[in-house]
Amino acid sequence: MNIIALVKQTPDTAQLSASMDGLRLSAEGGPRIVNPWDEYTLETAIQAREEHGGKVTALCLGPPEAADALKTALAMGVDEAILVSDPAMADSDSLTSARILVAAIRKIGRFDLIVGGRAAIDGNTAATAVQVAALLGVPLISYVADIGSLDPEHRTISAVRLLEKARETVTSRLPALITVVKEINEPRYPSLIGIRKAARASIPVWGCNDLELDASTVGAGASGVDWKTELPTTREANVEMIDGGPEDAARTLVDRLMEEKVI
Amino acid sequence: MASNLFVWIEQEDGQADAVAWQAMAAARNIAGDLGGSLNAVVFGDGVGDVARQAVQVGADRVYVSDDPSLGRYRVEPYAKLLSRILETEPPSLILMGASTAGLELSAYVSALTGAGLAPDCTDLRVEGGQLVAVRPALVGNLVSTVTFKGTGHRFLSVRRNIFQPADPDESRTGEVIEVAAVLAEDEIPTRVESVETSDGAVSLTEANIIVSGGRGVGGPEGFQPVRELADALGGALGASRAAVDAGWIPYAHQVGQTGKTVQPDLYIACGISGAIQHLAGMKNARVIVAINKDADVPLYQYAHYGIAGDLFSYLPAIAEEVKKRLGR
Ligand SMILES: Cc1cc2nc3c(=O)[nH]c(=O)nc-3n(C[C@H](O)[C@H](O)[C@H](O)COP(=O)(O)OP(=O)(O)OC[C@H]3O[C@@H](n4cnc5c(N)ncnc54)[C@H](O)[C@@H]3O)c2cc1C
Ligand SMILES: Nc1ncnc2c1ncn2[C@@H]1O[C@H](COP(=O)(O)O)[C@@H](O)[C@H]1O
C-alpha cells in the first residue's frame, strides 16, 4: 500500500507560560512540535503499512524548520518524508495550502490511502485535509476513531466515525482520504534507532518550481481570507469566594446561580 | 455590494440541530447590513417541517432537497448539491453551525467553489460594508480577525451556543424551492453501514450546564457526587484530561485542548486546577464555578464563584439544595 500522511508542524502549546503568551509562542523561532493531532495521523499510517506492507510518505507544507517535524515522523517510522516549502507559500490559507498539498500528492504519484488529522492546533480550521479530498475527488471519511478493515486487494475500507451524537460505520472504496481523531490509537515514541536514522536522512524540499506552481497562485496573495491575530482580552479575576460550611455555601451558591439565571 | 446569505440547516431524522438555528440567528444579525436576502438550505429525507421552521425563524426562501439518498448526512452528496445551488447565485455568504458535519461540509464546498472560509467563528460584524469574522486560534490563546478577499462566495461556520436563536414566528411566510439531488446512490462513494447513537446522556457540546471532575475526585467512584450534581441540574458530565488519562472516565467526557470545546451557561469544575489546556476548552462558559480544596489555583482567575473546600462534602450539599429549590 502507498500511504501518504499529511503532517503539519505547529507551535508547542505545552511551552505556554506567564512569560510565553500565544503571540510569542507563534512568532518565528518559537518552540515547535508535530501538530499533536497528527501524531495520530502518523501512527495510523505506520500501522496500516505494518499490516499491509508498502510505504508511508509523510508530507508537510511549512517553513524550512518544519523539516524537524518530518524528522520526528521518520524517527517514528515513516519511510519517506517530503517538505514542501517556498517563501512564496507563506501565509497560505487552508484552501491554498490544500491546493499546494494536492500538487505535491500528484507529484508523489500513486496512493491508496491518505491520512490527515482532525485539525491543526494553530489555525484550528479542521479544513485542509477535507479540502485535499475535495480537490482530489477521492472519497473522504472524516473523524475516524477506528479502522474496521482495510483491504488493499479488494480496494475497500471500513471505518468508524466519531460524531457528536453517534458512532457511524462507513465503507468506501480506495483510494480514499481519512482524517483521524485521538481515540484511534496511542502514538508510539520514536525509537533510538529511528532517531539515529532520521538524523541521517535527507529530506527533499519541493518549492513552486518543483510543483510547477506559479508563485502568484500560492501564499497570502492567492488566499481567499486575510487574518490578523492578537492576544485574547484577559478578564480581571473577579471571583467571589463563597465561605461557610457545605449547607450554607450550597444555599449561597444556588442563590447566585438563580440570580444569574443559569439554572 | 449586496450579498445574499444562505444558511445550511443541519438536521437528523427530520429534527433540526440547535446549532442550525443559531447560525440562522447569526445570519439574520448581519443580513440587514449586507443588504441581501436570507435563504435556508435543507437536505434530507422527509424534511418538510424543518423547511417550514426555517421560514418561521427568518428565511425568505428555502431550498429543499428531499430524497432518500440524502437521508443521513454524507459529505459528497450534500456538498455537490450545495455547490450546484450556488453555481447560479451571485457571490453569496454561506453559513452553518460548526458541528462535525458543518465544519466538514463548509470546508468541502469552499474547495469545490474556490471560496474563502472562516470556520468556528465566535463573533461576526459588518464594518464599512465588509464582513469581519472573529475566531479563536491556537486553542484559545490567540484571537484571529478574518476578512474575506476577492469576489467569490464566502463560507463560515459559527461555534455552538454563541448566537441566540430567534423565536419562531408562525405567521411568517416564505418561498420553498425544490431541488433535485445531484448524485444517484450508486455515484456516492461512501455507505453508512450502521449508526450507534450515544446513550441518553446529554451531549457535552450541546449542554447548557456541565459539571466536571478532575484529578481531585481521586478515582472512578469519586465521579459519583459529580454525576449526581450534573443529574440534579439536568446537565452533562465533563472531566479533565488527568481524570481521563487515569482511566476514571471515558475520553468522550474530556474538556480542553485535546478534548471538547464547550460553551455552556454554567460550568462547575470540581477538583480541577485550571491548566491552560483545560481552560482552552471551557473558559468562555458564561458562569464558571470552581470547587477546589486549594484556595489558590489558576482556575480562580477565570471562575465567577469559588468554594475552597473538599468536593466530597460540598457537592452532595449543593445537589441537595438544587433538588430542593428546583423541585427535582
Ligand atoms: C498537549 C497537551 C494537551 C492537553 N489537553 C488537555 C485537555 O484537553 N483537557 C485537560 O483537561 N487537560 C489537558 N492537558 C493536561 C493539563 O495540562 C493538566 O494536566 C490537566 O488539565 C490537569 O487536570 P486536573 O486539573 O484534573 O488535575 P490537577 O492539576 O492535578 O488538579 C487537581 C486539583 O484537584 C484539587 N483537589 C484534590 N482533592 C480535592 C478534593 N477532595 N476536593 C476538592 N479539590 C480537590 C487539587 O487542589 C488540584 O487543584 C493537556 C496537556 C498537554 C501537554
Ligand atoms: N501545512 C500542512 N502540511 C501538511 N498537512 C497539513 C498542513 N496543514 C494541515 N494539514 C493536514 O490537515 C489537517 C487539518 O489541519 P487544519 O485544516 O490546518 O486544521 C492536519 O491535521 C494535517 O493532517
Side-chain angles (χ1 to χ4, degrees), chain A residues 13 16 121-124 131 139-140 142-143 164-171 182 220 223-230 232 235 239-242 244 246 251 255 260, chain B residues 72 76 99-100 104 107 110 135 137-138 140-147 149 160 190-191 193-194 196-198 206 251 257 286 302-306 313-314 321 325:
Chain A
T13 52
L16 283 165
I121 60 164
D122 49 0
N124 202 48
Q131 292 169 324
L140 167 67
S142 55
Y143 308 107
E164 281 148 307
K165 285 179 259 179
R167 297 169 72 87
E168 188 187 77
T169 305
V170 176
T171 53
K182 178 180 152 124
S223 293
V225 288
D226 259 334
W227 62 93
K228 281 196 310 274
T229 48
E230 56 197 0
R235 84 173 154 218
V239 59
E240 177 187 335
M241 295 305 287
I242 298 174
R251 214 168 305 122
D255 281 343
E260 299 256 19
Chain B
R72 190 170 169 81
E76 282 93 351
S99 59
T100 47
E104 177 185 57
S110 81
R135 53 187 308 271
L138 201 64
N141 292 292
L142 291 174
V143 178
S144 173
T145 312
V146 181
T147 50
K149 301 192 292 188
R160 258 184 213 283
T190 54
R191 270 223 203 306
E193 304 293 345
S194 65
E196 191 188 312
T197 43
S198 18
E206 276 174 70
Y251 168 63
Q257 177 178 324
R286 196 149 77 75
Y302 287 87
H304 302 86
Y305 301 100
S313 27
Y314 282 84
E321 186 68 19
R325 303 280 283 276

Coordinates of all heavy atoms in Angstrom, one line a residue, chain A residues 13 16 121-124 131 139-140 142-143 164-171 182 220 223-230 232 235 239-242 244 246 251 255 260, chain B residues 72 76 99-100 104 107 110 135 137-138 140-147 149 160 190-191 193-194 196-198 206 251 257 286 302-306 313-314 321 325:
Chain A
T13 N 2.2 24.2 22.4 CA 1.4 24.9 23.4 C 1.8 24.5 24.9 O 1.4 25.2 25.8 CB -0.1 24.8 23.2 OG1 -0.4 23.4 23.1 CG2 -0.6 25.5 22.0
L16 N 3.5 27.2 26.8 CA 2.9 28.5 27.2 C 3.1 28.7 28.7 O 3.0 27.7 29.5 CB 1.4 28.4 26.9 CG 0.9 28.5 25.5 CD1 -0.5 28.1 25.3 CD2 1.1 30.0 25.1
I121 N -3.6 22.5 15.6 CA -3.9 23.3 16.8 C -3.6 24.8 16.6 O -4.1 25.6 17.4 CB -3.2 22.8 18.1 CG1 -1.7 22.9 17.9 CG2 -3.7 21.5 18.5 CD1 -0.9 22.8 19.3
D122 N -2.9 25.2 15.6 CA -2.6 26.6 15.4 C -3.8 27.4 14.8 O -4.5 28.2 15.4 CB -1.3 26.9 14.6 CG -1.2 26.0 13.3 OD1 -2.1 25.3 13.0 OD2 -0.2 26.2 12.6
G123 N -4.1 27.0 13.5 CA -5.2 27.7 12.8 C -6.5 27.1 13.2 O -7.6 27.7 13.2
N124 N -6.5 25.8 13.6 CA -7.7 25.1 14.0 C -8.8 25.2 13.0 O -10.0 25.4 13.4 CB -8.1 25.6 15.4 CG -9.0 24.6 16.1 OD1 -8.6 23.4 16.2 ND2 -10.1 25.0 16.6
Q131 N -10.3 19.6 2.4 CA -10.2 20.3 1.1 C -9.3 19.5 0.1 O -9.6 19.5 -1.1 CB -9.7 21.7 1.3 CG -10.8 22.5 2.0 CD -10.3 23.9 2.5 OE1 -9.2 24.0 2.9 NE2 -11.2 24.9 2.4
P139 N -12.9 9.7 -2.2 CA -13.8 9.6 -1.1 C -13.2 10.1 0.2 O -12.0 9.9 0.4 CB -14.1 8.1 -1.0 CG -13.7 7.5 -2.3 CD -12.7 8.4 -2.9
L140 N -14.0 10.7 1.1 CA -13.5 11.2 2.3 C -14.2 10.5 3.5 O -15.5 10.4 3.5 CB -13.8 12.7 2.4 CG -13.6 13.4 3.8 CD1 -12.2 13.4 4.2 CD2 -14.2 14.9 3.7
S142 N -14.1 11.2 7.5 CA -13.5 12.1 8.5 C -13.8 11.6 9.9 O -14.7 10.8 10.1 CB -14.0 13.5 8.3 OG -15.4 13.5 8.4
Y143 N -13.1 12.1 10.9 CA -13.3 11.8 12.3 C -13.2 10.3 12.6 O -14.1 9.8 13.3 CB -14.6 12.4 12.8 CG -14.9 13.8 12.5 CD1 -15.8 14.2 11.5 CD2 -14.2 14.8 13.2 CE1 -16.0 15.6 11.2 CE2 -14.4 16.2 12.9 CZ -15.3 16.5 11.9 OH -15.5 17.9 11.7
E164 N -20.6 13.9 17.0 CA -21.0 14.4 18.3 C -22.0 13.5 19.0 O -22.0 13.4 20.2 CB -21.7 15.8 18.1 CG -20.6 16.9 17.9 CD -21.2 18.0 16.9 OE1 -21.6 17.6 15.8 OE2 -21.1 19.1 17.3
K165 N -23.0 13.0 18.2 CA -24.0 12.2 18.8 C -24.1 10.8 18.5 O -25.0 10.1 18.8 CB -25.4 12.9 18.5 CG -25.6 14.2 19.3 CD -26.9 14.8 18.9 CE -26.7 16.0 17.9 NZ -28.0 16.6 17.5
A166 N -23.1 10.3 17.7 CA -23.2 8.9 17.3 C -21.8 8.4 16.8 O -20.9 9.2 16.6 CB -24.1 8.8 16.1
R167 N -21.7 7.1 16.7 CA -20.6 6.5 16.1 C -21.2 5.8 14.8 O -22.1 5.1 14.9 CB -20.0 5.4 17.0 CG -19.4 5.9 18.3 CD -19.1 4.8 19.2 NE -17.9 4.0 18.8 CZ -16.7 4.3 19.1 NH1 -16.4 5.4 19.8 NH2 -15.7 3.6 18.6
E168 N -20.5 6.2 13.7 CA -21.1 5.8 12.4 C -20.1 4.9 11.7 O -19.0 5.3 11.5 CB -21.4 7.1 11.6 CG -22.1 7.0 10.4 CD -22.1 8.3 9.6 OE1 -21.1 8.6 9.0 OE2 -23.2 9.0 9.6
T169 N -20.5 3.7 11.3 CA -19.6 2.9 10.5 C -19.9 3.1 9.0 O -21.0 3.0 8.5 CB -19.9 1.4 10.8 OG1 -19.7 1.3 12.3 CG2 -18.9 0.5 10.2
V170 N -18.8 3.4 8.3 CA -18.9 3.8 6.9 C -17.9 2.9 6.1 O -16.8 2.6 6.5 CB -18.5 5.3 6.7 CG1 -18.4 5.7 5.3 CG2 -19.4 6.2 7.5
T171 N -18.4 2.5 4.9 CA -17.5 1.9 4.0 C -17.2 2.7 2.8 O -18.1 3.5 2.4 CB -18.0 0.5 3.5 OG1 -19.3 0.7 3.0 CG2 -18.1 -0.5 4.7
K182 N -8.3 11.4 18.1 CA -7.4 10.9 19.2 C -7.8 9.4 19.6 O -6.9 8.7 20.0 CB -7.6 11.8 20.4 CG -6.8 11.4 21.6 CD -7.1 12.5 22.7 CE -6.9 11.8 24.0 NZ -6.0 12.4 24.9
A220 N -0.2 34.3 0.7 CA -1.2 35.2 1.2 C -2.0 35.8 0.0 O -3.2 35.9 0.1 CB -0.6 36.3 2.1
S223 N -4.8 33.8 -1.4 CA -5.8 33.2 -0.4 C -7.1 34.0 -0.4 O -7.1 35.2 -0.6 CB -5.1 33.2 1.0 OG -4.0 32.3 1.0
G224 N -8.1 33.3 0.0 CA -9.5 33.9 0.0 C -9.8 34.7 1.3 O -10.8 35.4 1.3
V225 N -8.9 34.5 2.3 CA -9.1 35.3 3.5 C -7.8 35.9 4.0 O -6.7 35.4 3.7 CB -9.7 34.4 4.6 CG1 -11.1 34.0 4.4 CG2 -8.9 33.1 4.8
D226 N -8.0 36.9 4.7 CA -6.8 37.6 5.4 C -7.1 37.5 6.9 O -8.3 37.5 7.3 CB -6.9 39.1 5.1 CG -5.9 39.5 4.0 OD1 -4.9 38.8 3.8 OD2 -6.2 40.5 3.3
W227 N -6.1 37.4 7.7 CA -6.4 37.4 9.1 C -5.3 38.1 9.9 O -4.1 38.2 9.5 CB -6.6 36.0 9.6 CG -5.4 35.1 9.5 CD1 -4.4 34.9 10.4 CD2 -5.1 34.3 8.3 NE1 -3.5 34.0 9.9 CE2 -3.9 33.7 8.6 CE3 -5.6 34.2 7.1 CZ2 -3.2 32.8 7.7 CZ3 -5.0 33.3 6.2 CH2 -3.8 32.7 6.5
K228 N -5.7 38.7 11.0 CA -4.8 39.3 12.0 C -5.0 38.6 13.3 O -6.1 38.2 13.6 CB -5.2 40.8 12.2 CG -4.7 41.7 11.2 CD -4.8 43.2 11.7 CE -6.1 43.6 12.4 NZ -7.1 44.0 11.4
T229 N -3.9 38.3 14.0 CA -4.1 37.6 15.3 C -3.6 38.5 16.4 O -2.6 39.3 16.2 CB -3.3 36.3 15.3 OG1 -2.0 36.5 14.9 CG2 -3.9 35.2 14.5
E230 N -4.2 38.4 17.5 CA -3.8 39.2 18.7 C -4.1 38.3 19.9 O -4.8 37.3 19.8 CB -4.5 40.5 18.8 CG -6.0 40.4 18.7 CD -6.7 41.7 18.4 OE1 -6.1 42.7 18.2 OE2 -8.0 41.7 18.3
P232 N -6.0 37.3 23.2 CA -7.4 37.5 23.7 C -7.4 38.4 24.9 O -6.4 38.5 25.6 CB -7.9 36.1 24.1 CG -6.7 35.2 24.2 CD -5.5 35.9 23.5
R235 N -9.6 38.6 31.2 CA -10.5 39.3 32.1 C -9.9 39.4 33.5 O -9.2 38.4 33.9 CB -11.9 38.7 32.0 CG -12.1 37.6 32.9 CD -13.6 37.2 32.9 NE -13.7 35.8 33.3 CZ -14.5 34.9 32.7 NH1 -15.3 35.3 31.8 NH2 -14.5 33.7 33.1
V239 N -13.4 36.7 41.1 CA -14.1 35.5 41.7 C -14.7 35.9 43.0 O -14.0 36.6 43.8 CB -13.1 34.3 41.8 CG1 -12.0 34.6 42.6 CG2 -13.9 33.1 42.2
E240 N -15.9 35.5 43.2 CA -16.5 35.7 44.6 C -16.3 34.4 45.3 O -16.9 33.3 44.9 CB -18.0 36.0 44.4 CG -18.7 36.2 45.7 CD -20.2 36.4 45.6 OE1 -20.6 36.9 44.6 OE2 -20.9 36.0 46.6
M241 N -15.5 34.4 46.4 CA -15.3 33.1 47.1 C -16.5 33.0 48.1 O -16.9 33.9 48.8 CB -14.0 33.2 47.9 CG -12.8 33.2 47.0 SD -12.7 31.8 45.8 CE -12.3 30.4 46.9
I242 N -17.1 31.8 48.1 CA -18.2 31.6 48.9 C -17.8 30.8 50.2 O -17.2 29.7 50.0 CB -19.3 30.8 48.2 CG1 -19.8 31.6 47.0 CG2 -20.5 30.4 49.1 CD1 -20.8 30.9 46.1
G244 N -18.2 29.4 54.3 CA -19.2 28.7 55.1 C -19.1 27.2 54.9 O -18.5 26.7 54.0
P246 N -20.8 23.3 54.2 CA -21.4 22.8 53.0 C -22.9 23.4 52.8 O -23.2 23.8 51.7 CB -21.4 21.3 53.2 CG -20.2 21.1 54.0 CD -20.1 22.3 54.9
R251 N -26.4 26.9 49.8 CA -27.6 27.9 49.7 C -27.1 29.1 49.0 O -27.8 29.6 48.0 CB -28.1 28.2 51.1 CG -29.6 28.4 51.1 CD -30.1 28.4 52.5 NE -29.8 27.3 53.3 CZ -29.1 27.3 54.5 NH1 -28.7 28.4 55.0 NH2 -28.9 26.2 55.1
D255 N -28.4 30.4 45.3 CA -29.0 31.8 45.1 C -28.3 32.5 44.0 O -29.0 33.1 43.1 CB -28.7 32.6 46.4 CG -29.6 32.3 47.5 OD1 -30.7 31.7 47.2 OD2 -29.3 32.6 48.7
E260 N -28.2 34.7 38.4 CA -27.5 34.7 37.1 C -28.4 34.1 36.0 O -28.0 34.1 34.8 CB -26.2 34.0 37.2 CG -25.2 34.6 38.1 CD -24.1 35.4 37.4 OE1 -24.3 35.8 36.3 OE2 -23.1 35.6 38.1
Chain B
R72 N -29.3 10.5 5.5 CA -28.4 10.8 6.5 C -27.3 11.6 5.9 O -26.9 11.3 4.8 CB -27.8 9.4 7.1 CG -27.0 9.6 8.3 CD -26.6 8.4 9.0 NE -25.6 8.7 10.0 CZ -25.9 9.2 11.2 NH1 -27.1 9.4 11.6 NH2 -24.9 9.5 12.0
E76 N -20.2 13.9 0.4 CA -20.2 14.1 -1.1 C -21.6 14.5 -1.7 O -21.6 15.5 -2.4 CB -19.7 12.8 -1.8 CG -18.2 12.6 -1.7 CD -17.7 11.8 -0.5 OE1 -18.6 11.5 0.4 OE2 -16.5 11.4 -0.4
S99 N -20.5 22.3 13.7 CA -20.6 20.9 14.2 C -19.6 20.1 13.4 O -19.0 20.6 12.5 CB -22.0 20.4 13.9 OG -22.3 20.4 12.5
T100 N -19.5 18.8 13.8 CA -18.6 17.9 13.0 C -19.0 18.0 11.5 O -18.2 18.1 10.6 CB -18.6 16.5 13.5 OG1 -20.0 16.0 13.7 CG2 -17.9 16.3 14.8
E104 N -17.0 20.1 8.3 CA -16.6 19.4 7.1 C -17.2 19.9 5.8 O -16.6 20.1 4.8 CB -17.0 17.9 7.3 CG -16.7 17.0 6.1 CD -17.2 15.6 6.4 OE1 -18.4 15.4 6.6 OE2 -16.3 14.7 6.3
A107 N -15.9 23.3 4.6 CA -14.6 23.2 4.0 C -14.7 22.5 2.6 O -14.0 23.0 1.7 CB -13.7 22.3 4.9
S110 N -16.3 24.9 0.1 CA -15.4 26.0 -0.2 C -14.3 25.6 -1.2 O -13.9 26.4 -2.1 CB -14.8 26.6 1.1 OG -13.7 25.8 1.5
R135 N -12.5 34.6 15.3 CA -12.4 33.2 15.6 C -11.2 32.9 16.5 O -10.2 33.5 16.4 CB -12.4 32.3 14.4 CG -11.3 32.6 13.4 CD -11.4 31.8 12.1 NE -11.5 30.4 12.4 CZ -10.5 29.6 12.6 NH1 -9.2 30.0 12.3 NH2 -10.6 28.3 12.9
A137 N -7.9 31.1 17.9 CA -6.9 30.3 17.2 C -5.9 29.8 18.4 O -6.0 30.3 19.5 CB -6.1 31.1 16.2
L138 N -5.0 28.9 18.0 CA -4.1 28.4 19.0 C -4.8 28.0 20.3 O -4.4 28.5 21.4 CB -2.9 29.3 19.2 CG -1.6 28.7 19.8 CD1 -1.0 27.7 18.8 CD2 -0.6 29.8 20.1
G140 N -7.4 28.9 21.7 CA -7.9 29.9 22.6 C -6.8 30.9 23.1 O -7.1 31.8 23.8
N141 N -5.6 30.7 22.7 CA -4.5 31.6 23.2 C -4.3 32.8 22.2 O -3.5 33.7 22.5 CB -3.2 30.8 23.4 CG -3.4 29.9 24.5 OD1 -3.5 30.3 25.7 ND2 -3.4 28.6 24.3
L142 N -5.0 32.7 21.1 CA -5.0 33.9 20.2 C -6.4 34.1 19.7 O -7.2 33.2 19.7 CB -4.1 33.6 19.0 CG -2.6 33.5 19.2 CD1 -1.9 33.1 17.9 CD2 -2.0 34.8 19.7
V143 N -6.6 35.3 19.3 CA -7.9 35.6 18.6 C -7.6 36.1 17.2 O -6.7 36.9 17.0 CB -8.7 36.8 19.3 CG1 -9.9 37.1 18.6 CG2 -8.9 36.4 20.8
S144 N -8.3 35.6 16.2 CA -7.9 35.9 14.9 C -9.1 36.6 14.3 O -10.3 36.2 14.4 CB -7.6 34.6 14.3 OG -7.4 34.5 13.0
T145 N -8.8 37.7 13.6 CA -9.9 38.5 13.0 C -9.8 38.3 11.5 O -8.7 38.6 10.9 CB -9.7 40.0 13.3 OG1 -9.5 40.1 14.7 CG2 -10.9 40.8 12.9
V146 N -10.8 37.8 10.9 CA -10.7 37.3 9.5 C -11.6 38.2 8.6 O -12.7 38.6 8.9 CB -11.3 35.9 9.3 CG1 -11.2 35.4 7.9 CG2 -10.5 35.0 10.3
T147 N -11.0 38.6 7.4 CA -11.8 39.3 6.4 C -11.6 38.5 5.1 O -10.7 37.8 4.9 CB -11.3 40.8 6.2 OG1 -9.9 40.7 6.0 CG2 -11.6 41.7 7.4
K149 N -11.4 38.2 0.9 CA -10.9 38.9 -0.2 C -11.6 38.4 -1.5 O -12.3 37.3 -1.5 CB -9.4 38.6 -0.4 CG -8.6 39.1 0.8 CD -7.2 39.1 0.6 CE -6.6 37.7 0.4 NZ -5.1 37.7 0.3
R160 N -21.0 26.6 18.4 CA -22.2 26.3 19.2 C -22.4 27.3 20.4 O -21.4 27.7 21.0 CB -22.1 24.9 19.8 CG -22.9 23.9 19.0 CD -22.9 22.6 19.7 NE -22.9 21.5 18.7 CZ -24.0 21.2 18.0 NH1 -25.2 21.7 18.3 NH2 -23.9 20.2 17.1
T190 N -19.4 6.6 -0.5 CA -19.4 6.0 0.9 C -20.8 5.5 1.2 O -21.8 6.0 0.7 CB -19.1 7.1 1.9 OG1 -19.9 8.2 1.8 CG2 -17.6 7.5 1.8
R191 N -20.8 4.5 2.0 CA -22.1 3.9 2.5 C -22.1 3.9 4.0 O -21.0 3.5 4.6 CB -22.2 2.4 2.1 CG -22.7 2.2 0.9 CD -23.6 1.3 0.3 NE -23.3 1.3 -1.1 CZ -23.3 2.4 -1.9 NH1 -23.6 3.6 -1.4 NH2 -23.0 2.3 -3.1
E193 N -23.0 2.0 7.1 CA -23.4 0.7 7.4 C -24.2 0.6 8.7 O -25.1 -0.2 8.8 CB -22.2 -0.3 7.5 CG -21.3 -0.3 6.3 CD -21.9 -0.9 5.0 OE1 -23.0 -1.6 5.2 OE2 -21.4 -0.7 3.9
S194 N -23.8 1.4 9.6 CA -24.6 1.3 10.9 C -24.3 2.6 11.7 O -23.3 3.3 11.5 CB -24.2 0.1 11.7 OG -22.8 0.2 12.1
E196 N -24.6 4.1 15.7 CA -24.8 3.8 17.1 C -24.9 5.1 17.8 O -23.9 5.8 17.9 CB -23.5 3.0 17.5 CG -23.6 2.3 18.8 CD -22.2 1.8 19.2 OE1 -21.6 1.1 18.3 OE2 -21.7 2.1 20.3
T197 N -26.1 5.5 18.2 CA -26.2 6.8 18.9 C -25.7 6.7 20.3 O -25.9 5.6 20.9 CB -27.6 7.3 18.8 OG1 -28.5 6.3 19.1 CG2 -27.9 7.9 17.4
S198 N -25.1 7.7 20.8 CA -24.6 7.6 22.2 C -25.8 7.6 23.1 O -26.9 8.1 22.8 CB -23.7 8.8 22.5 OG -23.9 9.8 21.5
E206 N -23.5 20.3 23.5 CA -24.8 21.0 23.4 C -25.3 21.4 24.8 O -26.3 22.0 24.8 CB -25.8 20.1 22.7 CG -25.7 20.1 21.2 CD -26.6 19.1 20.6 OE1 -27.8 19.3 20.7 OE2 -26.1 18.1 20.0
Y251 N -12.9 9.0 27.5 CA -12.4 10.2 26.8 C -13.5 11.1 26.3 O -13.3 12.3 26.2 CB -11.5 9.7 25.6 CG -11.2 10.8 24.6 CD1 -10.4 11.9 25.0 CD2 -11.6 10.8 23.3 CE1 -10.1 12.9 24.2 CE2 -11.3 11.8 22.4 CZ -10.6 12.9 22.8 OH -10.3 13.9 22.0
Q257 N -8.1 21.3 25.4 CA -7.4 21.4 24.1 C -7.5 20.1 23.3 O -7.6 20.1 22.1 CB -5.9 21.7 24.4 CG -5.0 21.7 23.2 CD -3.6 22.1 23.5 OE1 -3.4 22.9 24.4 NE2 -2.7 21.5 22.8
R286 N -20.4 30.9 30.4 CA -21.0 32.2 30.9 C -20.7 32.3 32.4 O -20.2 33.4 32.8 CB -22.5 32.3 30.6 CG -23.0 33.7 30.7 CD -24.2 33.9 29.8 NE -25.4 33.4 30.2 CZ -26.1 33.9 31.2 NH1 -25.7 35.0 31.9 NH2 -27.2 33.3 31.6
Y302 N -10.4 32.6 36.3 CA -11.5 32.7 35.4 C -12.9 32.4 36.0 O -13.9 32.7 35.4 CB -11.3 31.6 34.3 CG -10.2 32.0 33.3 CD1 -8.8 31.7 33.6 CD2 -10.4 32.8 32.2 CE1 -7.8 32.1 32.8 CE2 -9.4 33.2 31.4 CZ -8.1 32.9 31.7 OH -7.1 33.3 30.9
A303 N -12.8 31.8 37.2 CA -14.1 31.5 37.8 C -14.9 32.7 38.3 O -14.3 33.7 38.6 CB -13.9 30.5 39.0
H304 N -16.2 32.6 38.3 CA -17.0 33.7 38.9 C -17.3 33.4 40.3 O -17.4 34.3 41.1 CB -18.3 33.8 38.1 CG -18.1 34.1 36.6 ND1 -17.8 33.0 35.7 CD2 -18.0 35.2 35.9 CE1 -17.6 33.6 34.5 NE2 -17.7 34.9 34.6
Y305 N -17.4 32.2 40.7 CA -17.7 31.8 42.1 C -16.7 30.7 42.4 O -16.4 29.8 41.6 CB -19.1 31.3 42.3 CG -20.1 32.4 41.9 CD1 -20.8 32.3 40.6 CD2 -20.4 33.5 42.7 CE1 -21.6 33.4 40.3 CE2 -21.3 34.5 42.3 CZ -21.9 34.4 41.1 OH -22.7 35.4 40.7
G306 N -16.2 30.7 43.7 CA -15.3 29.7 44.1 C -15.7 29.2 45.5 O -16.2 29.9 46.3
S313 N -17.5 17.0 50.5 CA -18.5 17.4 51.4 C -19.4 18.5 50.8 O -20.6 18.6 51.2 CB -17.9 18.0 52.7 OG -16.6 18.4 52.5
Y314 N -18.9 19.2 49.8 CA -19.7 20.3 49.3 C -20.7 19.9 48.2 O -21.8 20.3 48.1 CB -18.8 21.5 48.7 CG -18.3 22.3 49.9 CD1 -17.2 22.0 50.6 CD2 -19.0 23.5 50.2 CE1 -16.7 22.7 51.7 CE2 -18.6 24.3 51.3 CZ -17.4 23.9 52.0 OH -17.0 24.6 53.1
E321 N -29.5 21.0 47.7 CA -30.0 22.3 47.6 C -30.7 22.6 46.3 O -31.8 23.1 46.2 CB -28.9 23.4 47.9 CG -29.4 24.8 48.0 CD -30.2 25.1 49.2 OE1 -30.2 24.3 50.2 OE2 -31.0 26.1 49.2
R325 N -34.6 23.4 45.7 CA -35.0 24.7 45.1 C -35.6 24.5 43.7 O -36.5 25.3 43.3 CB -33.8 25.6 45.0 CG -33.1 25.9 46.3 CD -33.8 26.9 47.1 NE -33.5 28.2 46.6 CZ -32.5 28.9 47.0 NH1 -31.6 28.4 47.8 NH2 -32.3 30.1 46.5

